[in-house]
Amino acid sequence: MSAVFWQAVIGLATAVAAITAVVISSRSRAASNEQFEAQQRRQQQQQQQASERFSRAVDQLSSDKLENRVGAMYSSNNSALTPRRINPRCSR
């Protein structure tokens, strides 16, 4: 077989490898974006839940029952610590 034939085969193999690399890279990037978006949704949900818990604790502070007020203090303390669990970089 001639050298031209082998050059064509090598050129075709190189093109197939390049196209395959582009497809794999594209899929990997899409999967990475999906993971990032899912993580963002989880963080938003956690922040919303923490906010809701804090609001309920504040409402319970005005209760006539001592048990509810004490529970509200414990709950508000946990709510104050939640941002550090959600985002460890939040230190204040």
Side-chain angles (χ1 to χ4, degrees):
M1 297 200 185
S2 70
V4 174
F5 172 77
W6 287 112
Q7 286 177 343
V9 169
I10 291 172
L12 180 62
T14 302
V16 168
I19 291 170
T20 302
V22 168
V23 169
I24 290 172
S25 175
S26 174
R27 287 185 180 179
S28 175
R29 182 175 174 95
S32 177
N33 286 342
E34 288 174 9
Q35 287 176 340
F36 177 75
E37 290 170 1
Q39 180 182 7
Q40 292 291 354
R41 283 191 300 272
R42 279 192 303 273
Q43 284 180 345
Q44 287 174 347
Q45 289 171 347
Q46 288 173 339
Q47 289 171 351
Q48 184 178 10
Q49 288 173 351
S51 177
E52 289 171 0
R53 280 190 225 117
F54 183 76
S55 294
R56 277 183 276 170
V58 169
D59 289 341
Q60 289 177 346
L61 285 173
S62 63
S63 175
D64 293 336
K65 294 183 179 180
L66 177 63
E67 301 86 25
N68 288 351
R69 291 194 306 265
V70 171
M73 288 188 287
Y74 280 112
S75 180
S76 63
N77 183 42
N78 287 338
S79 294
L81 298 176
T82 298
R84 290 187 201 145
R85 286 190 295 244
I86 293 172
N87 186 355
R89 291 177 288 167
C90 180
S91 61
R92 295 181 189 152

